[in-house]
Every structure is written in structure tokens, then in C-alpha cells.
Amino acid sequence: VHNPNLDINSVLSAEGKTLQQVHQPVSPWNKNFFKVKWDADDFPSVEDGCGTCTTLADGCLCDVSVANQVHFEVFPTVDQVISELKVGSIPLEWMPEYSMVQDTGGVQMFNKSGSTNYAVDTIFGVT
């Protein structure tokens, strides 16, 4: 089931560079970390009491909200795709419902068949 607005709990590392998605009960073997970017490095930390988050021994347990949004409104350059998009895709051959809708010789755009608009599920490839 696709949920474009997913609420999850995450543990923020002490240095504020990564989040670890957690499942209840919290397991010490959970290694599901992903990088995050904070506006002006304004993130909760153990040193400041974790703000509105729960303080743990080595980080902060925070509620986070993830929302899917269309990133590009015009066709991107190779540099934009590489520097701005951080989540990859499974191989396109595993998703027969996708087809290429544009190819600039450096960037390819794939959408679900029949769609040519930018969407949250548009996939960009760099050649």
C-alpha cells in the first residue's frame, strides 16, 4: 500500500547527521540509517535535552513525518539529478509499468505508462 505521508519514529544520531528508523519495540540490531539534511544544522541533540524529542543514551528519539513531493518542475540537468536526488530506484526492468518519456542525452525521465507529467513517482536516470 502506497502512503504518501508516512509517520515514523526515528532515532537521531548524536552528531545529527543520520536518522535510524525504529520499530517498536526498539531493537539494538536495527541498522536502518539514512542521511538527513537539517536547515542551518538546527537539529535536536542530547546536549540540549533533545528539544521536543525523547532523550536516549546516545541520541534522540523523535517523531518525524515523511512526505512525497515533486522535486523538479522543469527538466533537470545531469548535475541537478546527481546533486539533488538522494533516493535511488529499483531496476526499471523490474517495473514494466514504467516507460521512458524523455531523453536529453544525459538525463532520462521515466513515468508510469501513459503519463508525461512530473509526478512523485517519476524516475530520473543519468546516462
Side-chain angles (χ1 to χ4, degrees):
V1 175
H2 174 69
N3 182 355
N5 297 302
L6 176 66
D7 292 325
I8 57 175
N9 286 327
S10 293
V11 174
L12 175 66
S13 66
E15 73 278 358
K17 302 291 185 199
T18 59
L19 285 179
Q20 175 186 20
Q21 185 176 351
V22 296
H23 305 277
Q24 299 298 332
V26 176
S27 168
W29 298 282
N30 180 6
K31 301 298 181 195
N32 190 8
F33 286 93
F34 51 96
K35 289 184 178 183
V36 292
K37 182 177 179 180
W38 296 92
D39 292 334
D41 287 332
D42 185 24
F43 56 88
S45 69
V46 174
E47 290 78 27
D48 70 11
C50 290
T52 60
C53 302
T54 302
T55 303
L56 302 176
D58 60 350
C60 303
L61 177 65
C62 305
D63 290 330
V64 297
S65 181
V66 178
N68 286 333
Q69 299 176 339
V70 175
H71 187 78
F72 297 117
E73 294 182 11
V74 297
F75 202 83
T77 65
V78 170
D79 288 341
Q80 287 173 312
V81 170
I82 291 171
S83 66
E84 297 178 29
L85 300 181
K86 304 298 181 192
V87 178
S89 168
I90 62 172
L92 287 164
E93 56 268 15
W94 295 2
M95 299 181 292
E97 70 275 17
Y98 275 82
S99 59
M100 187 184 325
V101 294
Q102 191 169 348
D103 184 351
T104 64
V107 175
Q108 296 175 329
M109 177 177 158
F110 299 86
N111 271 342
K112 290 184 177 178
S113 297
S115 174
T116 58
N117 297 327
Y118 295 97
V120 295
D121 53 5
T122 297
I123 297 172
F124 290 96
V126 175
T127 58

